[in-house]
Structure formats: structure tokens, C-alpha cells
Amino acid sequence: MCGIVGILSTTKKDTAIYIYDALTILQHRGQDAAGIVTSHKGRFYMRKSNGLVRNAFRTKHISGLLGDMGIGHVRYPTAGSSSGAEAQPFYVNSPYGITFAHNGNLTNTAELAKELFEQDLRHINTNSDSEILLNVFAGELAKLEKQRINEKDIFTSIMQVHKRVRGAYAAVGMIPGYGIFGFRDPNGIRPLILGKRTTKGGTKYMLASESVALTALGYKVTRDIAPGEGVVIDRKGNIFTKQCSDKSQYSPCIFEFVYFARPDSVIDNISVYKSRLRMGEKLAEKIQNEWSETIDVVIPIPDTSRVAALQLAQKLGVKYSEGLIKNRYIARTFIMPGQKQRKKSVRQKLSAIELEFKGRNVLLVDDSIVRGTTSQQIVQMARDAGAKNVFFASAAPAVRYPNVYGIDMASNKEFIAHDKTAEQVCTAIGADKLIYQDLDDLIWCVQQGNPSIKTFDNSCFDGEYVTGDIDKNYLQSIEDIRSDTAKQENNTNESSELICNDVE
């Protein structure tokens, strides 16, 4: 999962600071690296670095990112490695000079890499599928052999991308002297939203992964980019859109609403906040129907589960308490690379307020249980704080299958529930009782926000992949690639990439 943003201003040259602000708002989508590229008088200016947005950029960097348009990216590594060379945005100088940022994960990267080398004569420099996606797009644009391009040429190239590429991809790009563009995969697995801000000084346009990046900066949401759709915004502020796939359908990733997206975001006209409220209500109904245990207090595991936990407590008529306090300076443990780092960070991230636990039957509520690392340690924290009994509720169903579309869930071995019943998971995490949300209920909770969306990507829960190209051999190949990448990173010093006019 990554966060992407593209901004074009029809007058002012202060685009970089707005991209920086938007990336800060989208920081929850990726903590591994951050990057910004702007364009001024036909030249690109770039700064990208490993780490959080606030650490990657200083005032001198922002002031050196000149131009009235630009794109930005926060990275969460799933495909490729976590080296500095794979920080985005990426760049190709032919044709026209294109910079590009991508959120998602391609599922036919090996096939595409071979095609690009043998047929398109294009060189791939990293293990990142985002670089492959950029080169597929650039290669298709080059085939048109035009000195000057227009929006129709970009849409033609996007159409060819959809024919060649499989998987999840929401992307933004920029062509110097022309404008910015964006597109979304035919299943709409990853989000992309268009907005506009009109001021006395001119009009600004933004493409972003979540609506909150727009609204927090004073932009008005225009609409979500539809599955398979492309959008082009030229230097004059003209907006062009076109459906570029004849096989498009809405199948957004349901895990966006469970965990990744901010609760104040609206994606595909579905309020993340209201979806999580409904998750709490449905979970409470299931507890009422299936449990006879006495619950003294409901405590959320911050931050993502708060909304569901509060609604659950209200529905049960049980006290709600913030019994776990989060250290704001520790990043999201789920998206940290490496199991050892995750284990270390849980104890640093959370601490228990003893008076809320001591002598009580406590129901801990989390958004989901993936690897079980966090759950196990928090259950023990509750016991150490004096809890009489520790119950555990997951607002999502059991995660049993890999997510191949941009979430770091690549191996069955990582999932505590993959080959276990709920009772076995309960024992493994050390809880006295465990309950999961039912998948049908989760789908209902999200679908109520936009009943026109009939299907979601629920693959991490049911093992059914909307692209239809995932089998056991593919899943095994992912495990092998991840293992090889980890070995390479242990033996290779971090590298960096120098392109355009690097702002250091």
C-alpha cells in the first residue's frame, strides 16, 4: 500500500509545499520512503529519500522543488526491496520525459519485464513493479511517434496498459510542458480521487489516494476516478477523462475500509467512518447472539479499531475505555518491514492503564488479526495489568490468504489463522475467548455506503482473486522472490538514484 498525489496549479509556483502537506496527510499509507518531483520550464526537480515525510524533506528541499505542477509518493514496500533506489516517483527520459508514482501491485511483472526487454527495448533498473508499469506506459506512448502529444494520445497509451498489465494499480504521472495524468486499474482495487480548489490567485487540481488529502487542504472533491478510467489535466487547467477499459468493474479492496484508509476519508462514495461504525454494530450483534460471558469494559487497540469499538460498546451497553495509550512517535507496526522490528515496536508503541484492566473482564477490539504478533503481546499486556479475563474481538474476518494487490500479506506462513480454527487462534494469542466478524457482515457494512458496488476484493479472507490469474504456483513464486530480495538486501549496501536535478 502506498499513497500518491498529483497537483497542478494554473498560476502559482508553490506546488511542492502542497504536495508535502498532502503526503503528510497520507503518511499512514506508507512509512518506508517519500518523494516529490516538480516541473518548471520544462525541467524536473526531485527529492526522495527513505523514511517519513518529515524526515525526507527540509525547508531547503521544498524551496528547491520549483514549478506549478508535481507528483508525490509515500512508499510501503510490497514488491521489490526497501532500498533508496526504489523510492518513488520514478522517471524515464523517453518519450518526452515522464515521472510516475504508483499505488498497488502488479501480478504479471515477470512476463512484462521480459516483454519490455525483448519487444520494447526498454531497460528496467530495479525490482519495483512500479518501474515496470511506468515503462509499459512510456513504451506505448513512444509507439505513437508524435512530436507533440495530446490527451487522446495519453488515453490510447492507458488503454494499451490495461490490455497488457494485470493486478492493482492507481497511478499519477507528469509530462513537462504538458500536464499531469492519472489512471486506475479496471477493477478499481486501489483508490484515486480528483479534486479542485479555486482561489483568487487561480485554480489548483489534485489527484490523491484518499479524499482526506483533498479536503484537509481546502480542495473540493470532484469525484472518484472510475475503474479503468484515465484523467488528464493540462497546463491550462483543462480536464479530460475517458474510460480506457472495456472490461471495467468496481471491485475495491475491502481492507482499505478495515485498516488502511483514514476514518475521515470517503472512497468510492463510501464513508470509511460509517463503515467502521457498522462493523462495530454487527460484531456486537454476533456477541449478543453467541456469547454468555460478562464483559466489564471494551478497550480498543488504537488507532484503527476505535470507531468500531465505540459503536460495539454502545450496542452492548458496556463501558468503553481508552485503556491502551499509544506513543505517537512510533509508526504503524503492521506496515513495518520485518517481523523482528514489529515485535520490538509493539511494546514501545502501547502501554496499559492498569486501573482500566485490574480485576475486570476486558474485551479488546482490533480491526483485524493478521500475523498475531501484536495481538499476542497486547493480550499479555492486559494480563500483566491485572485483567481477570481477556476477550478479543476482530472487526474483520480471519485473514487466511495472501493479498497480492499491494498489501504486505504475501505468505500463508505469516497468517496466524491460515491453518487454525478461531479456538486455536484464541489459544495462540493467549486470550480467554475470541470472536471474528463474519465476511458477509463485513461486506454488508461497507456496501451500505454505496449499494451500486456489487463486489469487493476480499481475497485475504476468502482466497478469491478478482483478477483471476492467481494460483498456487504464483503464490509460491512471490514467496521465493521475497526470500531472494531479503537475502540481497542483507548483502547489499543501500543505493540511491540520481536523475533530473536532484534537490539535496
Side-chain angles (χ1 to χ4, degrees):
M1 194 71 61
C2 300
I4 58 176
V5 60
I7 294 180
L8 183 145
S9 173
T10 57
T11 55
K12 291 191 175 183
K13 314 296 182 185
D14 56 355
T15 302
I17 186 62
Y18 287 96
I19 296 175
Y20 172 89
D21 289 341
L23 292 181
T24 301
I25 294 166
L26 295 174
Q27 185 74 85
H28 61 285
R29 298 185 68 86
Q31 301 165 175
D32 183 66
I36 296 174
V37 180
T38 59
S39 179
H40 178 62
K41 295 183 178 180
R43 292 189 175 185
F44 287 134
Y45 296 83
M46 171 178 282
R47 167 68 183 178
K48 58 182 183 178
S49 176
N50 279 356
L52 302 178
V53 176
R54 66 173 183 263
N55 297 326
F57 300 96
R58 295 289 185 265
T59 301
K60 65 177 182 178
H61 301 135
I62 299 299
S63 61
L65 292 167
L66 308 176
D68 54 5
M69 62 179 179
I71 63 174
H73 184 270
V74 286
R75 184 170 189 264
Y76 156 59
T78 53
S81 70
S82 57
S83 75
E86 298 196 5
Q88 296 186 44
F90 282 119
Y91 164 82
V92 290
N93 69 344
S94 176
Y96 317 114
I98 305 171
T99 57
F100 188 86
H102 161 226
N103 171 33
N105 213 54
L106 309 188
T107 58
N108 62 334
T109 51
E111 173 188 330
L112 289 171
K114 185 177 181 181
E115 284 181 8
L116 286 168
F117 181 74
E118 296 178 352
Q119 300 175 24
D120 299 72
L121 306 179
R122 302 189 74 89
H123 172 69
I124 303 301
N125 196 52
T126 72
N127 293 320
S128 173
D129 61 340
S130 302
E131 188 186 11
I132 289 175
L133 182 60
L134 165 57
N135 275 274
V136 172
F137 173 81
E140 294 297 335
L141 201 57
K143 290 176 184 178
L144 301 178
E145 297 183 338
K146 294 181 65 174
Q147 186 175 6
R148 290 182 178 275
I149 60 169
N150 56 36
E151 72 282 356
K152 294 180 182 178
D153 301 320
I154 295 176
F155 291 142
T156 297
S157 299
I158 295 172
M159 288 179 188
Q160 294 304 117
V161 167
H162 290 331
K163 291 178 181 179
R164 295 177 65 180
V165 174
R166 298 193 300 271
Y169 50 94
V172 293
M174 177 172 58
I175 300 174
Y178 182 77
I180 64 174
F181 62 90
F183 56 90
R184 196 174 177 192
D185 71 75
N187 291 295
I189 298 172
R190 295 287 159 238
L192 187 63
I193 302 168
L194 172 66
K196 176 180 178 180
R197 182 187 181 203
T198 303
T199 66
K200 292 181 180 180
T203 304
K204 297 178 186 290
Y205 302 89
M206 183 192 296
L207 290 163
S209 294
E210 293 186 31
S211 65
V212 66
L214 296 155
T215 55
L217 297 179
Y219 285 73
K220 183 177 180 180
V221 172
T222 302
R223 65 179 179 87
D224 293 86
I225 303 304
E229 187 179 24
V231 57
V232 176
I233 308 171
D234 69 19
R235 291 291 300 277
K236 296 180 180 179
N238 297 311
I239 300 178
F240 307 93
T241 60
K242 182 180 177 63
Q243 177 52 251
C244 298
S245 173
D246 56 2
K247 297 180 180 179
S248 63
Q249 65 169 358
Y250 263 111
S251 298
C253 175
I254 205 164
F255 212 72
E256 290 272 2
F257 301 92
V258 171
Y259 174 82
F260 268 101
R262 278 180 42 159
D264 44 351
S265 283
V266 177
I267 297 174
D268 293 322
N269 292 320
I270 301 172
S271 166
V272 177
Y273 176 77
K274 288 185 177 180
S275 296
R276 292 177 185 171
L277 285 177
R278 289 188 283 266
M279 291 176 205
E281 290 180 4
K282 281 294 184 182
L283 200 52
E285 290 175 5
K286 187 175 182 181
I287 289 172
Q288 288 173 329
N289 292 333
E290 297 183 8
W291 282 17
S292 59
E293 284 77 10
T294 299
I295 300 170
D296 298 319
V297 61
V298 172
I299 295 178
I301 298 174
D303 285 317
T304 322
S305 64
R306 278 199 171 108
V307 177
L310 180 59
Q311 194 70 2
L312 181 150
Q314 291 179 347
K315 181 81 173 178
L316 293 179
V318 174
K319 177 185 175 182
Y320 170 90
S321 174
E322 294 282 348
L324 293 167
I325 302 302
K326 181 179 179 181
N327 180 348
R328 300 292 176 185
Y329 300 97
I330 298 293
R332 299 180 93 177
T333 51
F334 175 81
I335 62 177
M336 283 182 173
Q339 187 76 340
K340 185 180 293 184
Q341 189 174 351
R342 295 186 191 105
K343 288 182 178 180
K344 180 180 178 182
S345 295
V346 171
R347 285 282 182 174
Q348 294 175 341
K349 184 175 79 168
L350 297 174
S351 61
I353 299 176
E354 186 175 317
L355 62 87
E356 295 292 357
F357 289 88
K358 195 168 185 178
R360 291 178 172 176
N361 296 322
V362 177
L363 175 62
L364 296 173
V365 180
D366 208 351
D367 54 84
S368 59
I369 305 172
V370 182
R371 303 173 183 94
T373 308
T374 300
S375 306
Q376 185 180 47
Q377 292 192 51
I378 293 175
V379 168
Q380 188 58 50
M381 288 173 62
R383 295 201 186 281
D384 293 343
K388 182 179 179 181
N389 286 290
V390 181
F391 309 131
F392 205 101
S394 169
V399 176
R400 302 186 187 277
Y401 304 94
N403 183 296
V404 300
Y405 300 127
I407 299 177
D408 190 15
M409 300 177 180
S411 171
N412 290 338
K413 300 173 185 176
E414 297 180 1
F415 312 134
I416 193 169
H418 174 67
D419 56 355
K420 293 183 178 68
T421 64
E423 290 74 19
Q424 290 171 324
V425 174
C426 181
T427 300
I429 66 173
D432 294 295
K433 201 169 185 66
L434 168 67
I435 194 165
Y436 282 108
Q437 186 87 263
D438 291 332
L439 180 55
D440 287 344
D441 286 342
L442 175 63
I443 294 171
W444 181 88
C445 292
V446 179
Q447 196 172 39
Q448 291 306 298
N450 188 350
S452 66
I453 298 179
K454 303 303 181 183
T455 61
F456 293 86
D457 172 57
N458 312 309
S459 54
C460 59
F461 304 122
D462 61 12
E464 297 181 9
Y465 298 92
V466 296
T467 54
D469 58 338
I470 308 302
D471 56 21
K472 291 182 179 179
N473 291 333
Y474 178 85
L475 296 176
Q476 183 59 52
S477 71
I478 290 181
E479 288 194 36
D480 294 342
I481 290 170
R482 283 165 62 89
S483 178
D484 291 343
T485 299
K487 292 177 182 177
Q488 290 174 12
E489 288 190 342
N490 288 334
N491 298 323
T492 305
N493 291 329
E494 183 178 298
S495 60
S496 61
E497 181 183 20
L498 177 65
I499 67 168
C500 314
N501 297 280
D502 253 19
V503 178
E504 295 294 349

